[in-house]
Amino acid sequence: DKVLVTGANGFIAVWVVRKFLEKGYAVRGSVRSADKGKFLKEMFKSYGDKFELVVVEDITKEGAFDEAVKGVDAIAHTASPFYLDAASVDELIGPAVNGTTCILKSAAKNGQGVKRIVITSSCASVVEVGNDKVFTEKDWNELAIKEVKEQGDEASGLAKYFASKTLAEKAAWEFYEKNKSDVKWDLAVLNPPFVFGPIIHDVKGVDSLNTSARQWHDTVLVDGKPKDFLTTQGESWIDVRDVAEAHVLALEKEAAGGERIIISEGSFVWQDWIDAANSLSPSPIPSHTPLPVGYPGAGRTAKPPVVYDTAKEKRILDLKYHTKEETTRDILADFEKRGW
Ligand code: NDP
């Protein structure tokens, strides 16, 4: 079977592509320019013609994926902007929402062989900041949509990103509900919280790291973070390799069709990652000795910032999650190799 993976050069997507190839699938990866795909061609050259690239310059343009969806059996749509300092609402919501509806429209029109579409949504479209409840797949982040509606470009960067993911996922379900009797495919949506893990995408340096990896890097390796931040702030998390595995399972498991699924290892406050880094012996990153220590153990007694119910994931996907220590070891070993 052949899978189209959109935004194939991203932090999560390269692991998704790799996982599909390892499992024997052929992959067509979409990127915005041929240049951005060069490292992928090199990385996956041992797979020969089982890995190919397609350039889709503007994912928001009507018909953008009309050619790319031809001849594939499934689609994993990961492309979407993720940064927290957007100046305008439109720069995030435009590509997030229109990118999603564009690929669904192209799949409806030209994706005769497509049986399932997996969308990389986010817990951003589930969680409402400040609400203490245990969040489930029934929850939607209406708060972010409200903030963006009321405040426009003055809304916080976080709200803009959260709203972009919520509106994109809503648009996907709406399109599917309207068209499901006419299309041969169904939809499965994954909702990961913060994603951390070693990097295999093309990154020139720390400054160009993707948002979640950059936050992890700066928290664990840069000293002087305030106590309040380290011991009360955090979210839930999942290892990037488990996210990749979840994409394969969401495509293969019949029961994932028609479902949004929260995938999460558990919660963290940022101090937990500092503790995990300091617990490893020998240090995977000897060039940073000593590592910042923050406020050792404070995470153990901290209130978990956000809690998700992952019963649906257990029932349908049954992921084996990496632990904080395993993920930390592999990230730090990767940083050491890069001299960061
Ligand atoms: P990256 O920034 O590493 O990757 C984002 C991908 O989307 C890149 O391929 C990028 O292409 C593409 N993209 C961004 N903006 C546009 C645009 N305007 N038009 C077309 N393509 C675009 O981020 P991640 O790998 O972290 O994110 C991948 C997906 O996972 C996103 O949907 C994100 O919302 C979701 N996610 C991420 C989490 C995390 O913690 N990392 C948590 C939960 C969900 P280009 O390189 O050309 O810009």
Side-chain angles (χ1 to χ4, degrees), residues 134-137 261-264 307-313:
V134 175
F135 287 89
T136 76
E137 288 85 357
I261 306 173
I262 293 172
I263 49 173
S264 166
V307 182
Y308 297 102
D309 178 348
T310 53
K312 197 199 270 193
E313 180 278 306

Side-chain angles (χ1 to χ4, degrees), residues 7 9 11-12 32 36 78 80 82 95 121 161 165 192-193 195 212:
N9 61 320
F11 165 57
I12 293 175
R32 288 205 270 183
K36 291 191 179 193
T78 84
S80 201
F82 178 16
S121 184
Y161 172 67
K165 294 302 285 181
V195 180
S212 58

Side-chain angles (χ1 to χ4, degrees), residues 6-14 30-33 36 56-60 77-83 91-92 94-96 120-124 161 164-165 190-196 201 209-213 238 240 243 247:
T6 68
N9 61 320
F11 165 57
I12 293 175
V14 184
S30 85
V31 284
R32 288 205 270 183
S33 68
K36 291 191 179 193
V56 178
E57 269 173 38
D58 182 357
I59 66 170
T60 67
H77 177 52
T78 84
S80 201
F82 178 16
Y83 50 92
E91 70 187 72
L92 295 184
T120 319
S121 184
S122 170
C123 281
Y161 172 67
S164 78
K165 294 302 285 181
L190 293 170
N191 303 83
F194 255 111
V195 180
F196 301 126
H201 64 303
L209 262 180
N210 59 290
T211 300
S212 58
I238 177 170
V240 68
V243 176
H247 279 74

Side-chain angles (χ1 to χ4, degrees), residues 111-122:
Q112 270 73 19
V114 176
K115 291 183 267 311
R116 176 157 295 170
I117 300 178
V118 179
I119 292 184
T120 319
S121 184
S122 170

Side-chain angles (χ1 to χ4, degrees), residues 17-308:
V17 170
R18 179 164 149 176
K19 190 63 88 176
F20 274 122
L21 289 169
E22 282 170 2
K23 301 245 170 169
Y25 291 85
V27 173
R28 178 181 296 161
S30 85
V31 284
R32 288 205 270 183
S33 68
D35 222 36
K36 291 191 179 193
K38 271 192 190 146
F39 81 100
L40 292 167
K41 270 273 166 223
E42 181 60 26
M43 181 178 289
F44 299 125
K45 67 176 178 221
S46 64
Y47 289 95
D49 58 10
K50 283 197 120 182
F51 177 71
E52 63 190 33
L53 280 172
V54 59
V55 174
V56 178
E57 269 173 38
D58 182 357
I59 66 170
T60 67
K61 220 163 111 194
E62 184 85 25
F65 291 100
D66 279 2
E67 289 304 310
V69 298
K70 286 184 183 167
V72 301
D73 305 281
I75 297 169
H77 177 52
T78 84
S80 201
F82 178 16
Y83 50 92
L84 301 175
D85 54 359
S88 77
V89 169
D90 287 348
E91 70 187 72
L92 295 184
I93 290 181
V97 174
N98 298 337
T100 302
T101 48
C102 263
I103 197 153
L104 296 183
K105 278 187 195 160
S106 291
K109 188 170 147 205
N110 281 351
Q112 270 73 19
V114 176
K115 291 183 267 311
R116 176 157 295 170
I117 300 178
V118 179
I119 292 184
T120 319
S121 184
S122 170
C123 281
S125 63
V126 175
V127 68
E128 291 189 327
V129 177
N131 191 332
D132 254 355
K133 66 194 236 179
V134 175
F135 287 89
T136 76
E137 288 85 357
K138 293 201 174 66
D139 294 305
W140 284 92
N141 190 349
E142 302 294 348
L143 208 62
I145 298 177
K146 186 166 170 274
E147 182 176 335
V148 159
K149 259 193 196 142
E150 286 172 3
Q151 299 180 37
D153 292 344
E154 300 306 313
S156 69
L158 193 68
K160 286 176 195 149
Y161 172 67
F162 277 16
S164 78
K165 294 302 285 181
T166 313
L167 291 167
E169 195 193 325
K170 284 191 174 212
W173 287 118
E174 199 180 313
F175 184 92
Y176 178 60
E177 284 307 320
K178 251 193 217 146
N179 296 282
K180 67 179 173 193
S181 55
D182 302 323
V183 297
K184 293 194 186 70
W185 43 265
D186 63 8
L187 199 62
V189 169
L190 293 170
N191 303 83
F194 255 111
V195 180
F196 301 126
I199 285 149
I200 55 170
H201 64 303
D202 193 21
V203 179
K204 306 273 173 290
V206 173
D207 286 347
S208 50
L209 262 180
N210 59 290
T211 300
S212 58
R214 178 68 194 267
Q215 289 199 10
W216 196 99
H217 172 277
D218 289 359
T219 302
V220 175
L221 294 188
V222 184
D223 213 349
K225 294 277 178 298
K227 184 171 186 182
D228 181 55
F229 168 76
L230 292 177
T231 61
T232 68
Q233 302 297 301
E235 228 272 15
S236 283
W237 75 285
I238 177 170
D239 186 291
V240 68
R241 294 159 293 186
D242 301 335
V243 176
E245 180 75 22
H247 279 74
V248 177
L249 293 172
L251 205 152
E252 291 178 343
K253 300 276 184 185
E254 187 56 37
E259 300 288 347
R260 63 195 307 237
I261 306 173
I262 293 172
I263 49 173
S264 166
E265 195 277 339
S267 58
F268 71 87
V269 291
W270 289 103
Q271 178 65 38
D272 295 339
W273 297 106
I274 297 177
D275 287 354
N278 282 289
S279 77
L280 300 168
S281 175
S283 170
I285 188 157
S287 63
H288 283 260
T289 306
L291 283 166
V293 293
Y295 304 86
R300 278 200 298 276
T301 50
K303 186 164 131 322
V306 186
V307 182
Y308 297 102

